[in-house]
Amino acid sequence: MPLYSPTYPPAPHRKVMFFIDGENIVSRYQAMLKKGSIPKQPDCFFHEQDIYLWRPLNGIPDEPQYQNEFIRAYYYTSVTGDDVKFNAVFNSLKKIVTLAAKSQTLYPVLIKKDRKEIKAKGVDIQMTVDILSHVFQNNVDTVCLFSGDGDYVPVVREVISRGKKIFIGAFSDGFNSYLKQLADEIIDLDVIYFEQL
């Protein structure tokens, strides 16, 4: 038996979870549209004005030295309206396939928002609680945070201090510079959603 083989020893197993701040993602996307960015053709593309935006990724971010296992994708957003509207948004998000090869769906986390609110504070709070809960319970090894919001800097610092990897997916518009520096890897949403001229 050879001393070295590409399959021996086996690559370390790592659990990956997505945490998507839908409010941030959709607002940054719409801001870039207003500035003249040209969207790619919407194959498997899901967008409802001011509520959600998601385009399934082709796979888990690549880490050749690890055997990554996708666990779950949480999608956080807020909804204004009655229970009918709330349930319609929930069901639409539930149908979105996140990773086609693994047939995983998004797990919607919806917060009811008052009509006067521009952004529901509960989204950031719930997402922070869920990330830290999974990190502290050791349910996840790599956190994929989809948001460019600088409010997540303390959360990301805590994720790093616990020895977890952090990938950040964001649009260039409104991407906090310090949050960008903290990431182990950046997932450039500009490339995924817009034509590159």
Side-chain angles (χ1 to χ4, degrees):
M1 179 177 180
L3 293 176
Y4 173 77
S5 163
T7 58
Y8 182 84
H13 181 83
R14 294 182 67 83
K15 296 170 286 188
V16 180
M17 287 189 190
F18 288 6
F19 298 89
I20 306 147
D21 180 348
E23 289 193 332
N24 177 267
I25 296 300
V26 77
S27 68
R28 296 298 94 216
Y29 172 77
Q30 290 171 184
M32 290 182 72
L33 284 177
K34 286 180 182 176
K35 291 177 181 177
S37 295
I38 301 169
K40 288 186 175 177
Q41 291 302 311
D43 56 323
C44 297
F45 186 102
F46 303 87
H47 176 227
E48 185 170 335
Q49 185 76 17
D50 299 328
I51 296 179
Y52 61 78
L53 169 78
W54 190 246
R55 180 177 185 161
L57 303 182
N58 291 329
I60 300 168
D62 189 32
E63 295 179 279
Q65 69 274 36
Y66 299 118
Q67 185 177 358
N68 284 339
E69 177 191 1
F70 178 80
I71 304 295
R72 184 161 292 167
Y74 293 99
Y75 193 100
Y76 301 79
T77 192
S78 60
V79 179
T80 302
D82 59 14
D83 288 344
V84 173
K85 176 68 173 177
F86 189 90
N87 291 333
V89 172
F90 183 91
N91 291 330
S92 292
L93 284 169
K94 194 75 174 144
K95 290 177 185 175
I96 298 173
V97 176
T98 311
L99 297 171
K102 295 188 177 289
S103 299
Q104 297 291 336
T105 57
L106 293 174
Y107 287 79
V109 181
L110 303 185
I111 307 292
K112 282 200 174 182
K113 180 174 68 172
D114 188 280
R115 292 188 185 278
K116 297 175 184 175
E117 292 180 285
I118 297 172
K119 180 177 170 71
K121 294 178 182 176
V123 169
D124 294 357
I125 294 168
Q126 188 61 57
M127 191 161 142
T128 297
V129 168
D130 289 350
I131 291 171
L132 294 179
S133 176
H134 282 296
V135 165
F136 275 80
Q137 293 179 60
N138 213 28
N139 295 335
V140 62
D141 300 302
T142 300
V143 170
C144 293
L145 169 68
F146 288 85
S147 178
D149 190 340
D151 289 347
Y152 291 108
V153 166
V155 181
V156 169
R157 281 184 176 155
E158 189 62 36
V159 169
I160 293 167
S161 76
R162 292 281 162 176
K164 309 301 183 183
K165 294 195 80 172
I166 182 81
F167 289 11
I168 298 177
F171 291 107
S172 57
D173 184 86
F175 195 170
N176 179 271
S177 59
Y178 190 46
L179 191 64
K180 188 184 296 187
Q181 290 171 13
L182 290 172
D184 290 301
E185 190 169 322
I186 300 294
I187 302 167
D188 186 354
L189 297 187
D190 290 13
V191 173
I192 295 171
Y193 286 92
F194 293 109
E195 299 291 348
Q196 303 302 297
L197 304 176

